[in-house]
Amino acid sequence: MREVVVTGLGLVTPLGIGTKNNWKRLISGNVGIDKITNFDVSDLPCKIAGQIPSKENDKEAGLEFNDWINPKELRKIDRFIAYGLIASQIAVEDSGWKPDTELQKMRTGVLVGSGIGGLETIANTTEILLTKGVRRVSPFFIPSSLINLLSGQISIKFQFKGPNHSVVTACSTGTHSIGDAARIIVNGNADVMIAGGSEAACCRIGMAGFSSAKALSTNFNDNPKESSRPWDMQRDGFVMGEGSGILVLEEKSHAKKRGAKIYAQIKGYGMSGDAFHITAPEENGDGGFRAMKAAIEDSNLSTNDIDYINAHGTSTPLGDMIELKAIEKLFDKNIKNISISSTKSATGHLLGAAGAIEAIFSILAIKNNIIPPTNNLKSPEKGTENFDLVPLKAKEKQVKNILSNSFGFGGTNASLVIGEAD
C-alpha cells in the first residue's frame, strides 16, 4: 500500500511568516491577537483579531506583500489567495521538490481550500457596484473571489499539472484538504500533493456576521492577548484569525528516492457528519467522537498510541467541553497518558486554514518532542480535572503520534492521525 509523508511546511499566521518563526513564538507562549486597526470597528461588538503582522511592525517575522507577489498581480487577487501563495512558496521551497519532466508535473497536484474565500473582495465590489456602477466592477472580481482559484493560482505558479481540487467545509477545510490529498496519493492519482487551507475573513462584513451569530469574544477588547482562552471559565467566544497553512505531501518511496527530508507520516483520516444543527455540535459530541474513532481505525493504531491531541478548542462556552467529552469517551482510561492543547489560544481561529496550521504545529511537536501550550488557561472549567491541557507553558514530552481535530458549521467533522515516519 502506498504511504504518505510530509516533506514541506509553509506558514503565514498571526504569529508571523515562516515555520521557524511560528514554532519559536508558539512554544514561547506568544499570542498573535491584537486590536483591529486597519478598518473601522467602532460599531462592532468584537474589536480584536489574529491578523498577520506587517513587516513595519515586526521586522523579524512580519509580512510585506510586495516582497512575495508583484504589486500588479496582487491587485488581481483577494488576500486569502495571497496568503496561500506565500505559504505554498515557503512549503514548496522547504520540500525541495522541483519537477523537471512533464510526467513529474502531471504527477504533482494541488488541493487547497478555504472556508469563506474572497469575502472582503465580495463586500468591496458590492459597494463599488452600488455607488459607482457596473462599469467600475473589476474583471478580476470573480477569479479573485472563488475558493478554487487558490489551487488554480498555485498550480499555475509552479506548473503543477496533476489533480487540481478544493475543499470547502467551513472550519474543517484544512483538515479535509490534507486527508483528501493524502488519499489521492494513496489511490495512485498523484505522487506529490500541495495541501492545506487559507483564510482572510477579518474584514467588516466577516466580523459583523460572526458577531451577529454571537460567536466572537467581546469581553477582552481591551486585553486582546488574553481573549482566546480554551477551557477557561472566562472564555466567551472565539477570536477571528487569518492566514494560511500549506503542506507538501508525498508518496513515501518517491520522497526517499529523491533524498527528501521527511517530517512525519499521514497515518489516518476520519470524517463524520453531526446531522444535528447548522452551527452547534450535539451535546454528547457524537460527531467528533466518530471522526476521531475513524481516523484512529484508519491508522491501524490504538488509542494507546496517541501522545498528543491538537484540539479544535475554539474558546467557545459550548464547544470546548463537548469536544473533551468526546475525547474522554473515545480514550477512556488512556486519557491520563495524553496531552491536549489548543493552539488557537495563540493564533485565534483561522476558520478554513485552522486545520492545516494545526496539523503543521502538531508535526513540529513530533519533530521537537514539545507540546505547545494552551495560553490563558488560568481558571480551568469544572470537568477538566482529568485532562492534561498543557496550561500556560509548553511541555517537553516524547511525541510519536498525534490526533488533530477540526469541526465546522453544518456539522462537518474531520480528524487526522499523524506520526513519525515508519
Side-chain angles (χ1 to χ4, degrees):
M1 182 176 175
R2 288 162 63 90
E3 297 176 295
V4 180
V5 296
V6 180
T7 58
L9 304 173
L11 285 169
V12 176
T13 86
L15 291 174
I17 310 302
T19 305
K20 289 182 180 179
N21 288 324
N22 267 270
W23 181 247
K24 180 176 70 174
R25 294 179 178 191
L26 180 69
I27 62 172
S28 297
N30 288 23
V31 174
I33 297 167
D34 214 330
K35 293 182 179 182
I36 296 170
T37 58
N38 63 337
F39 60 86
D40 180 24
V41 295
S42 60
D43 56 346
L44 294 173
C46 179
K47 306 177 190 301
I48 57 176
Q51 297 181 282
I52 310 303
S54 68
K55 199 167 188 178
E56 181 180 359
N57 296 326
D58 184 348
K59 296 191 183 304
E60 180 185 36
L63 172 62
E64 172 54 60
F65 281 112
N66 292 345
D67 290 345
W68 298 86
I69 301 172
N70 182 290
K72 183 179 178 181
E73 297 303 314
L74 190 61
R75 289 193 292 271
K76 301 175 184 178
I77 57 176
D78 187 88
R79 283 186 301 117
F80 91 96
I81 293 178
Y83 292 148
L85 283 171
I86 294 167
S88 68
Q89 182 173 331
I90 295 170
V92 171
E93 290 178 355
D94 182 43
S95 74
W97 175 236
K98 297 178 181 179
D100 298 316
T101 68
E102 194 69 9
L103 178 60
Q104 288 176 332
K105 292 176 182 178
M106 290 190 292
R107 298 288 298 171
T108 304
V110 185
L111 204 168
V112 180
S114 179
I116 299 181
L119 187 63
E120 185 175 48
T121 295
I122 293 169
N124 290 344
T125 304
T126 301
E127 186 174 350
I128 289 170
L129 176 63
L130 294 175
T131 59
K132 299 181 180 180
V134 66
R135 291 181 179 274
R136 296 296 297 274
V137 172
S138 168
F140 299 103
F141 163 54
I142 297 299
S144 69
S145 307
L146 291 175
I147 286 174
N148 75 295
L149 259 290
L150 174 50
S151 284
Q153 290 274 13
I154 294 170
S155 172
I156 292 166
K157 178 180 176 67
F158 296 102
Q159 287 296 287
F160 296 154
K161 298 183 177 182
N164 189 298
H165 188 27
S166 289
V167 169
V168 185
T169 49
C171 304
S172 297
T173 297
T175 301
H176 276 133
S177 295
I178 296 166
D180 289 353
R183 286 187 175 175
I184 285 173
I185 294 173
V186 168
N187 289 339
N189 303 118
D191 296 320
V192 182
M193 289 292 295
I194 314 304
S198 188
E199 205 75 83
C202 186
C203 56
R204 274 186 60 78
I205 193 169
M207 297 296 291
F210 280 105
S211 291
S212 294
K214 308 294 184 186
L216 298 179
S217 171
T218 58
N219 291 340
F220 294 88
N221 287 329
D222 294 327
N223 194 6
K225 300 296 183 189
E226 296 196 7
S227 57
S228 185
R229 45 196 317 117
W231 304 297
D232 188 87
M233 287 195 294
Q234 293 188 57
R235 71 192 186 281
D236 70 320
F238 80 80
V239 180
M240 183 79 80
E242 60 181 25
S244 179
I246 302 291
L247 298 81
V248 177
L249 307 184
E250 194 165 346
E251 196 278 321
K252 186 160 75 171
S253 63
H254 183 278
K256 292 175 72 174
K257 185 176 181 180
R258 72 179 183 89
K261 67 176 179 298
I262 293 174
Y263 284 102
Q265 184 167 331
I266 308 297
K267 295 190 172 183
Y269 174 40
M271 299 175 282
S272 73
D274 287 349
F276 177 70
H277 189 272
I278 57 171
T279 58
E282 196 167 3
E283 191 174 332
N284 62 10
D286 179 64
F289 168 82
R290 288 183 286 110
M292 290 186 286
K293 185 172 185 288
I296 292 174
E297 289 175 350
D298 188 50
S299 72
N300 292 317
L301 299 174
S302 74
T303 56
N304 286 320
D305 297 310
I306 303 299
D307 303 300
Y308 169 55
I309 299 173
N310 190 300
H312 184 57
T314 58
S315 189
T316 57
L318 186 66
D320 288 5
M321 296 305 294
I322 289 176
E323 182 178 9
L324 283 190
K325 187 181 293 186
I327 290 170
E328 188 171 37
K329 178 182 176 182
L330 179 62
F331 286 87
D332 196 21
K333 294 178 181 178
N334 295 332
I335 198 68
K336 64 181 183 297
N337 301 317
I338 298 170
S339 297
I340 306 167
S341 71
S342 172
T343 50
K344 289 183 177 74
S345 61
T347 64
H349 186 6
L350 274 73
L351 309 181
I357 72 161
E358 288 156 16
I360 293 173
F361 288 156
S362 298
I363 289 167
L364 295 173
I366 293 169
K367 290 295 290 183
N368 295 282
N369 287 313
I370 299 175
I371 306 291
T374 302
N375 297 314
N376 300 315
L377 183 51
K378 298 176 181 179
S379 302
E381 182 71 73
K382 183 180 179 181
T384 62
E385 299 83 5
N386 295 330
F387 301 91
D388 173 19
L389 299 177
V390 197
L392 306 179
K393 187 177 180 181
K395 176 179 180 177
E396 292 188 9
K397 177 181 178 178
Q398 186 175 27
V399 183
K400 292 186 176 181
N401 297 293
I402 68 90
L403 179 72
S404 185
N405 289 333
S406 294
F407 311 137
F409 281 4
T412 177
N413 310 299
S415 297
L416 289 169
V417 173
I418 304 174
E420 292 179 324
D422 295 332

